[in-house]
Amino acid sequence: MERVIGINTWVWESPLTDTGLLPLLTRIAGMGFDAVELPLENAGDLTASAVQDALAATGLTPYVVGAMAPGRDLVAADAGTIRSTQEYLGACIRLASDIGATAVCGPFYSATGRLWRMDDGERERAYADLRENLEPLARQALESGVVLGIEPLNRYETSLLNTVGQALAALGPLLGNGVGLALDTYHLNIEERSSADAIRQAATHLVHVQVCGNDRGAPGGDSTDWRGIFSALEDVDYTGPLNIESFTSTNASIATAASIWRPLAVTQDRLAEDGLAFLRRASASPDEGHPL
């Protein structure tokens, strides 16, 4: 099937603000992308009116992603931290609603890079806290016509939700009520025995998919089981976007958070163009979805 293919602006720039918005989205649309992931790193970085104008000028379909910077936590944190994190995520939901984005996605549970050991009881309590603190945001999302896509991360970026199975257990009754799963092929490749089976396990709760190569560069020509992934997406009737998420190594905060210590392509434009070309071919013909 022909799929919507997008890209995250983190490939080129961080943080994204009103100032650089239109030139970057014009560049992305000119490459042939259908959609764009807009990171709201801090409330106020982007205004709805500026985003609406840029989207109208480029025709791109928007999705919003959040950044769980240090100090943003919904579990194992003091009341003030939880409240400020909820306020930040509420701003992400409002932006998405205002610009017509259907999903707000990210690891909305604890700061990226925050790691701690838990026994079974501690993990269950953390999951209960997550449900309690995420519930008002799920309600806000549902009322706004937006879904929160909660993203499991690899073991080096979180110790809370690494697998689809853990995410399903943690989110429980919130799933389908303003909350779904956002899966990233990079994290699946590290944590799941089979990325394809993990997608099938997510099933109808899958609301968003991010893609990149196993080295976090362009998808295609890498060791990822793309044929299996595309087959699984068909099996679960996933009709959402495939958005390339990679990063520039020139921004210190993003490079550190994502452990990007070297360029992942000759140029960032080349990364985007190669990834788009592969995804177009693989979407048109699943047999193209093997390492090239």
Side-chain angles (χ1 to χ4, degrees):
M1 66 175 290
E2 188 71 21
R3 294 190 178 275
V4 170
I5 298 174
I7 194 163
N8 193 304
T9 60
W10 272 329
V11 170
W12 295 275
E13 189 170 328
S14 170
L16 183 66
T17 65
D18 287 353
T19 303
L21 185 64
L22 181 58
L24 185 49
L25 266 60
T26 300
R27 189 174 181 179
I28 289 168
M31 291 180 175
F33 284 96
D34 309 306
V36 62
E37 279 189 353
L38 302 170
L40 185 65
E41 294 187 36
N42 298 285
D45 281 353
L46 296 170
T47 58
S49 59
V51 177
Q52 289 166 346
D53 289 346
L55 294 172
T58 59
L60 293 168
T61 298
Y63 298 90
V64 173
V65 296
M68 295 298 280
R72 289 180 181 158
D73 294 286
L74 291 179
V75 298
D78 61 81
T81 296
I82 291 169
R83 184 167 55 254
S84 65
T85 303
Q86 289 172 325
E87 289 170 355
Y88 161 70
L89 293 174
C92 291
I93 293 170
R94 286 192 297 276
L95 176 66
S97 179
D98 288 344
I99 66 173
T102 57
V104 177
C105 301
F108 300 149
Y109 35 90
S110 66
T112 302
R114 184 182 177 205
L115 308 167
W116 71 102
R117 290 175 58 88
M118 287 169 278
D119 61 28
D120 290 345
E122 291 167 330
R123 184 172 293 278
E124 285 303 315
R125 287 190 292 276
Y127 288 173
D129 287 346
L130 175 60
R131 289 190 293 272
E132 179 181 351
N133 295 325
L134 197 59
E135 192 277 334
L137 295 164
R139 188 169 60 249
Q140 180 185 350
L142 200 59
E143 292 169 352
S144 301
V146 173
V147 63
L148 290 172
I150 308 301
E151 179 186 6
L153 299 181
N154 70 73
R155 68 191 68 190
Y156 309 110
E157 297 182 27
T158 186
S159 52
L160 196 68
L161 296 183
N162 300 129
T163 68
V164 168
Q166 287 178 321
L168 293 173
L171 298 170
L174 296 180
L175 291 165
N177 294 294
V179 173
L181 298 185
L183 299 185
D184 183 321
T185 61
Y186 176 78
H187 301 299
L188 293 177
N189 183 62
I190 296 173
E191 293 299 334
E192 303 285 358
R193 299 288 288 184
S194 164
S195 296
D197 287 347
I199 289 169
R200 294 186 183 97
Q201 186 180 13
T204 58
H205 298 305
L206 180 60
V207 299
H208 196 77
V209 174
Q210 293 176 322
V211 294
C212 66
N214 64 281
D215 63 347
R216 223 159 192 169
D222 63 296
S223 65
T224 302
D225 178 18
W226 292 109
R227 180 180 291 170
I229 285 171
F230 275 90
S231 177
L233 292 174
E234 293 284 348
D235 289 346
V236 301
D237 295 323
Y238 175 74
T239 58
L242 299 178
N243 288 344
I244 297 172
E245 186 192 47
S246 188
F247 307 90
T248 174
S249 62
T250 60
N251 179 281
S253 61
I254 287 296
T256 301
S259 297
I260 305 299
W261 312 121
R262 59 183 173 81
L264 299 173
V266 175
T267 67
Q268 296 305 98
D269 282 2
R270 179 67 179 272
L271 187 158
E273 291 162 350
D274 287 352
L276 176 61
F278 168 76
L279 293 171
R280 289 284 186 225
R281 293 196 306 274
S283 294
S285 174
D287 284 344
E288 291 283 348
H290 58 80
L292 300 181

